[in-house]
Amino acid sequence: MARLNYVELPVRDVPALKQFYAQAFGWSFTDFGPDYAGTTSGDVDLGLNGDTDQWTAQLLPVIEVDDLEAALDQVVAAGGTVTLPIFEFPGGRRFHFKDPHGHELGVWTQTRE
């Protein structure tokens, strides 16, 4: 079965976004030339594309974490802006934020019973 394994964001400043995601979530990136970097975890990876000729429309990637409140604090400390505060939905809780380049992402955790 096909599954999502990569999300690519168009970015104006690859080094700045690498720093943001490293600080907010502890991710490390591999550089693939001067205008591209990506995580290489083998799970669902994130690419940062600085080549404006290849930019696409934005989508909403969603990141799963164990501690939603800690993730919210880390995102804000790294320079992110909360666009939708923590809310509940069947099966979990989530918030949305924009990174320093304006990409909106979600962060969620499963409801523990």
Side-chain angles (χ1 to χ4, degrees), residues 60-81:
L60 181 69
V62 181
I63 302 160
E64 185 176 7
V65 298
D66 290 327
D67 186 334
L68 195 62
E69 285 73 17
L72 176 65
D73 291 344
Q74 290 170 317
V75 164
V76 171
T81 303

Side-chain angles (χ1 to χ4, degrees), residues 11-20 34 48:
V11 302
R12 288 183 185 84
D13 187 341
V14 173
L17 263 287
K18 283 173 43 179
Q19 180 180 354
F20 170 80
L48 305 175

Side-chain angles (χ1 to χ4, degrees), residues 16-25 63 69-85 95-107:
L17 263 287
K18 283 173 43 179
Q19 180 180 354
F20 170 80
Y21 286 107
Q23 184 178 344
F25 297 106
I63 302 160
E69 285 73 17
L72 176 65
D73 291 344
Q74 290 170 317
V75 164
V76 171
T81 303
V82 174
T83 58
L84 188 59
F95 70 89
H96 293 184
F97 72 93
K98 286 188 179 180
D99 69 19
H101 283 244
H103 298 106
E104 188 166 15
L105 290 85
V107 180

